[in-house]
Amino acid sequence: MSETWAEQLDTGTGLIQLMTLVQGIYATVSERHELTPVQAKLLCVLIGGPRGMAELAQLFGVEKAALTGLMDRIEKRGLAVRSAVPGDRRAVRVTLTEAGRQTASAFHAEMGAALGRLTEPIPEGDREQFRSTVEGIIMRCRTSPSSE
């Protein structure tokens, strides 16, 4: 008897397919908020508080010059501002404006609802197991360097 598609699905393939699905939802929700996915990511990062340009460049895996273009567009829309860091002439801090906080919060809420709909049909115990497993993966990745 041949295996079904679900039986052939290994963890890596499943994660890749899930990532593709989530990225599609992320892109759709971003567009509804008149953001690119990268702009949405920036706003979501900044909702946690101001960040330095160097830190953001490292987080996004880009040079500061590339981040400057992204910031120019976000700043022009009135969603974030750059300001000098007292005591460090070269450092620049990025902070959300009130409009940026509202946009980030609305985006985050819509993404949460859309992703919640993905897991809604799953029985509660399985959903909790999935949530716990995902949390464990995230915590391990945050506490130990990636072995790419």
Side-chain angles (χ1 to χ4, degrees):
M1 180 183 243
S2 66
E3 291 181 298
T4 66
W5 174 83
E7 291 168 329
Q8 295 173 10
L9 186 68
D10 63 43
T11 303
T13 301
L15 286 172
I16 290 168
Q17 291 181 2
L18 182 58
M19 175 189 67
T20 301
L21 178 63
V22 170
Q23 285 176 333
I25 293 168
Y26 198 90
T28 299
V29 173
S30 297
E31 189 175 306
R32 276 201 287 268
H33 290 270
E34 299 180 2
L35 299 166
T36 66
V38 175
Q39 289 171 340
K41 180 180 176 180
L42 178 62
L43 295 183
C44 287
V45 167
L46 292 174
I47 204 164
R51 301 281 186 109
M53 286 286 284
E55 179 186 3
L56 289 170
Q58 183 179 14
L59 182 67
F60 280 70
V62 298
E63 296 294 320
K64 283 193 262 184
L67 187 64
T68 298
L70 173 62
M71 273 308 305
D72 287 346
R73 291 183 293 281
I74 287 288
E75 209 166 25
K76 186 175 183 179
R77 291 191 52 197
L79 300 175
V81 294
R82 290 174 273 198
S83 59
V85 174
D88 188 345
R89 294 180 329 166
R90 297 184 312 164
V92 175
R93 177 180 300 139
V94 180
T95 306
L96 287 178
T97 62
E98 185 54 37
R101 269 188 288 287
Q102 290 174 3
T103 301
S105 293
F107 172 81
H108 197 271
E110 188 173 344
M111 272 304 297
L115 295 175
R117 286 190 293 277
L118 288 179
T119 59
E120 203 170 74
I122 300 171
E124 180 60 37
D126 291 344
R127 262 197 327 261
E128 178 52 32
Q129 178 63 47
F130 178 73
R131 187 210 57 76
S132 177
T133 300
V134 168
E135 179 183 41
I137 292 168
I138 292 167
M139 293 309 293
R140 280 189 303 281
C141 290
R142 286 185 178 164
T143 58
S144 63
S146 175
S147 56
E148 295 176 4

